[in-house]
Amino acid sequence: MRDGTDSAATVDAVERAFSVIRALRELDGAGVTELSKRLDMSKSGVHKQLTTLVEEGYVTKARDEYRLSFKFIADGEYVKNNSSFYDVGAPETDDLANESGDFAHLVAMERKDAYCVYVAEGDNAVATDVNVGDWISLHSSAAGKAILSELPDEYRERVIKQELPPKTEFTITDETELAQELDEIQANGVAFEDQENVRGMRSVGAPILSSDGDVLGAVAVSGPLSLLTDDRFRNDLPGLVRQTKNFIEVKVLLESRESIEEGSHVPKDFY
């Protein structure tokens, strides 16, 4: 039986390994010295982590540079292909992009974080800063605010009272102002992002809820000011986004019922 010291050491080792993985992604590849400075770890410690990750196939080495390997694609595909939320939401996100002509994205809430799990481009779409796998800001993005508006009061208050870093000069950083906007989003079922996450970009999002009222994620459309003009932004797109959200919720409910009838287990969060 292991004592607490062994367990703590094991947890620390895992945390360091994931720190190395995150740093390699953020730096788009790096050497031992650069990683050591970035992570404030000894070179020998970084090298030991990298050696293990290379042996496991998750990191590759070319000369003196280490990079994440294609093995992550296989793991990502496994997660995606086993997600009912993705199966239901992706086709509807495609339809939203096609009907609006804009860039659309699907966001999943998992534990305490939100991540973009799917993107689609309409005929007039302009690439945004949202990519598959990106962490989504809960206080400055339309999808994030839509999710935040439907989270349990305790968690919502905790997020609001944390530091609200400004992404642009338009980001809401005042607790009271953000709380008031979240109340409006909950009442209207749609969230607006007006240059709050990226200057010059707008987004409209809506929360996706389970039949029990748990927030599963959000769906949103994004684009530059030139495409998401005031009339489209405030009048046309909210209805399309709400419609997509409703379609996804209905399909989530139907698929949950089918799974229950077949005797399979359906997680509460539908992931």
Side-chain angles (χ1 to χ4, degrees), residues 164-195:
L164 302 173
K167 299 295 187 71
T168 72
E169 65 268 37
F170 300 104
T171 305
I172 298 176
T173 58
D174 178 76
E175 294 178 14
T176 302
E177 184 180 356
L178 180 58
Q180 291 174 344
E181 178 160 339
L182 293 176
D183 287 340
E184 293 177 6
I185 294 170
Q186 189 174 49
N188 299 323
V190 66
F192 296 97
E193 168 200 329
D194 196 356
Q195 303 189 76

Side-chain angles (χ1 to χ4, degrees), residues 84 88 210-211 216 249-262 264-268 270:
S84 296
V88 167
S210 72
S211 58
L216 303 177
E249 289 180 346
V250 169
K251 289 186 176 182
V252 164
L253 175 61
L254 292 176
E255 187 148 335
S256 297
R257 285 178 176 173
E258 288 176 3
S259 297
I260 292 172
E261 290 173 359
E262 293 169 0
S264 60
H265 173 66
V266 181
K268 182 179 180 182
F270 203 66

Side-chain angles (χ1 to χ4, degrees), residues 200-270:
M201 301 296 291
R202 282 174 161 174
S203 184
V204 181
I208 300 170
L209 307 178
S210 72
S211 58
D212 295 327
D214 298 315
V215 60
L216 303 177
V219 63
V221 292
S222 303
L225 296 172
S226 58
L227 290 180
L228 270 66
T229 56
D230 288 348
D231 190 47
R232 292 192 71 229
F233 182 56
R234 292 290 177 181
N235 300 321
D236 298 338
L237 292 176
L240 287 177
V241 174
R242 285 195 197 96
Q243 175 180 278
T244 302
K245 159 246 180 53
N246 290 336
F247 286 163
I248 294 175
E249 289 180 346
V250 169
K251 289 186 176 182
V252 164
L253 175 61
L254 292 176
E255 187 148 335
S256 297
R257 285 178 176 173
E258 288 176 3
S259 297
I260 292 172
E261 290 173 359
E262 293 169 0
S264 60
H265 173 66
V266 181
K268 182 179 180 182
D269 56 14
F270 203 66

Side-chain angles (χ1 to χ4, degrees), residues 2 23 36 39 43 72 81 85 111 117-118 134 138 166-167 175 188 193 196 200 216-217 228 234 244-245:
R2 295 183 177 181
S36 174
L39 300 172
K43 290 183 180 179
F72 281 99
N81 293 331
F85 180 79
R111 297 191 63 188
V117 297
Y118 187 75
D134 283 353
L138 293 180
K167 299 295 187 71
E175 294 178 14
N188 299 323
E193 168 200 329
E196 297 159 59
L216 303 177
L228 270 66
R234 292 290 177 181
T244 302
K245 159 246 180 53

Side-chain angles (χ1 to χ4, degrees), residues 27 35 51 57 83 111 115 136:
L27 296 170
L35 285 169
T51 299
S83 167
R111 297 191 63 188
Y115 298 93
I136 302 298

Side-chain angles (χ1 to χ4, degrees), residues 105-203:
H105 53 283
L106 179 69
V107 174
M109 184 67 185
E110 191 168 51
R111 297 191 63 188
K112 62 178 182 178
D113 292 307
Y115 298 93
C116 176
V117 297
Y118 187 75
V119 299
E121 296 184 12
D123 291 338
N124 300 317
V126 173
T128 70
D129 64 321
V130 182
N131 299 295
V132 172
D134 283 353
W135 174 84
I136 302 298
S137 169
L138 293 180
H139 78 285
S140 62
S141 69
K145 289 191 290 184
I147 289 171
L148 188 56
S149 72
E150 293 291 346
L151 289 177
D153 291 342
E154 181 181 352
Y155 183 75
R156 174 174 152 175
E157 288 299 318
R158 189 159 64 244
V159 172
I160 292 176
K161 291 186 178 301
Q162 291 176 349
E163 182 181 359
L164 302 173
K167 299 295 187 71
T168 72
E169 65 268 37
F170 300 104
T171 305
I172 298 176
T173 58
D174 178 76
E175 294 178 14
T176 302
E177 184 180 356
L178 180 58
Q180 291 174 344
E181 178 160 339
L182 293 176
D183 287 340
E184 293 177 6
I185 294 170
Q186 189 174 49
N188 299 323
V190 66
F192 296 97
E193 168 200 329
D194 196 356
Q195 303 189 76
E196 297 159 59
N197 211 44
V198 177
R199 205 174 192 286
M201 301 296 291
R202 282 174 161 174
S203 184

